[in-house]
Amino acid sequence: MSQQASNNKLDRLLLTGAAGGLGKVLRERLKPYAKVLRLSDIASLAPAADASEEVVPCDLSDKAAVHALLEGCDAIVHLGGVSVERPFEEILEANIKGIFNVYEAARRHGVKRVVFASSNHVIGFYKQTEHIDAHAARRPDGYYGLSKSFGEDMAQFYFDRWGIETVSIRIGSSFPEPLNRRMMSTWLSYRDLTTLIEKSLFTPDVKHTVVYGMSANRDVWWDNSAAAHLGFVPQDSSEVFRDKVEAQPPVAPTDPNAIYQGGAFTAQGPFGDAS
Ligand code: NAI
Ligand code: 15L
């Protein structure tokens, strides 16, 4: 199966998590990169608009369903799963079993490229005064961050063992605009996210690359030099929102949002017994 068609256009691209916040945005923005965009989620999705879309509902924790989902796909943009801190059992099903099922189905179907929506929460316990690159030891800030860390290890293993290439994008905060002071550093615009996914899909020989998903913000904590081969040059900056964000009440210096790169995620839980 060809991983890349000419002119940066795949035959069939799978987008998991298509009903989510980023999935809805990317449903439109990834269309130019595939003749057919296969959209999947456990939540309901708007029907296919035309022949360029396919809607395939799927629970990522269901191995057989994920195997069927990947049939005929050239590449995967994997956004699906629990996207916030939650009890371990929920994370285990959607994120940990989910990503195993995705890679195992990729291996069995010969899919050679995955773009994995990792998260800044794999390094959330670094202080905001620290500057790190993609090789810094991970410091997950919860079960959610741990699951993304596992996902990155899964990506490395499936490259080393099976040659499946992945770009793990440690997304900062991708929303229409930064919502607080911390996000002035972590913000990733939708335009820059789309460009980064395009680079992640079509740059040759990425092996397993880890890249921080952030726009060209003024005060950043992350160094993307280890992912320079992607050629990602962000176009947007949180700076245009500074006045609006700084009109918010100040954050106490003892607030995790002012201390840790992962912000409030570092202080969530315990959740008790979710069984
Ligand atoms: P979201 O929560 O809006 O979307 C996630 C989607 O995954 C949802 O539509 C949900 O129904 C689906 N999902 C959950 N469990 C599932 C399962 N068992 N089977 C199939 N689908 C399932 O999250 P958002 O903001 O769109 O993020 C997308 C991805 O990017 C997530 O993986 C998230 O962890 C990651 N990310 C997002 C960031 C952001 O700033 N938006 C920051 C860092 C990472
Ligand atoms: C994430 O990983 C979450 O999915 C998202 O909802 C945001 O909270 C983001 O990180 C963040 O750190 O701002």
Side-chain angles (χ1 to χ4, degrees):
M1 185 178 303
S2 71
Q3 176 238 299
Q4 180 181 340
S6 59
N7 301 323
N8 283 358
K9 196 147 185 146
L10 299 156
D11 285 335
R12 182 177 282 100
L13 173 63
L14 171 63
L15 177 65
T16 69
L22 297 185
K24 285 186 185 122
V25 170
L26 293 169
R27 180 172 185 164
E28 291 313 312
R29 291 177 182 238
L30 293 183
K31 271 188 184 176
Y33 305 114
K35 291 179 193 154
V36 177
L37 189 57
R38 180 173 290 173
L39 303 151
S40 184
D41 207 293
I42 197 171
S44 65
L45 283 156
D50 52 43
S52 73
E53 291 187 340
E54 293 172 347
V55 172
V56 182
C58 178
D59 179 347
L60 290 163
S61 68
D62 180 338
K63 188 173 186 179
V66 174
H67 181 76
L69 177 66
L70 265 71
E71 168 121 48
C73 294
D74 302 299
I76 306 159
V77 175
H78 181 48
L79 305 183
V82 174
S83 66
V84 291
E85 184 63 348
R86 295 291 300 158
F88 181 74
E89 290 78 0
E90 289 179 37
I91 303 268
L92 174 65
E93 292 301 316
N95 295 17
I96 295 180
K97 286 188 190 167
I99 197 152
F100 166 70
N101 290 339
V102 166
Y103 275 99
E104 202 34 30
R107 180 188 70 78
R108 292 167 70 191
H109 285 298
V111 180
K112 289 295 188 190
R113 181 65 61 101
V114 179
V115 180
F116 170 48
S118 185
S119 170
N120 71 87
H121 295 287
V122 305
I123 45 83
F125 263 118
Y126 281 95
K127 301 260 178 69
Q128 293 179 7
T129 50
E130 293 176 285
H131 287 78
I132 57 172
D133 66 13
H135 300 304
R138 292 180 221 144
R139 299 182 70 180
D141 59 24
Y143 302 132
Y144 167 67
L146 280 164
S147 76
K148 295 294 187 180
S149 185
F150 177 79
E152 292 186 9
D153 281 336
M154 185 72 76
Q156 185 66 48
F157 169 68
Y158 271 83
F159 174 70
D160 290 335
R161 180 68 180 84
W162 302 107
I164 297 173
E165 294 194 303
T166 298
V167 177
S168 292
I169 305 177
R170 290 182 183 167
I171 303 172
S173 308
S174 195
F175 298 99
E177 57 188 72
L179 304 174
N180 54 42
R181 284 177 170 76
R182 171 182 164 273
M183 288 190 193
M184 289 300 292
S185 293
T186 59
W187 186 63
L188 173 67
S189 72
Y190 291 155
R191 175 167 66 163
D192 289 338
L193 171 66
T194 306
T195 303
L196 185 48
I197 291 176
E198 183 203 352
K199 301 284 186 191
S200 302
L201 282 170
F202 297 112
T203 301
D205 197 24
V206 293
K207 302 181 176 68
H208 175 221
T209 295
V210 174
V211 60
Y212 291 96
M214 60 182 167
S215 285
N217 306 325
R218 190 188 74 181
D219 306 315
V220 294
W221 311 317
W222 307 322
D223 169 356
N224 260 338
S225 52
H229 53 284
L230 294 180
F232 169 57
V233 181
Q235 298 300 304
D236 297 310
S237 167
S238 60
E239 209 51 29
V240 295
F241 301 105
R242 182 167 295 279
D243 289 348
K244 186 174 174 187
V245 169
E246 291 189 349
Q248 296 175 7
V251 181
T254 51
D255 187 320
N257 265 312
I259 300 173
Y260 294 109
Q261 297 188 2
F265 279 59
T266 60
Q268 291 176 1
F271 293 97
D273 185 358
S275 62

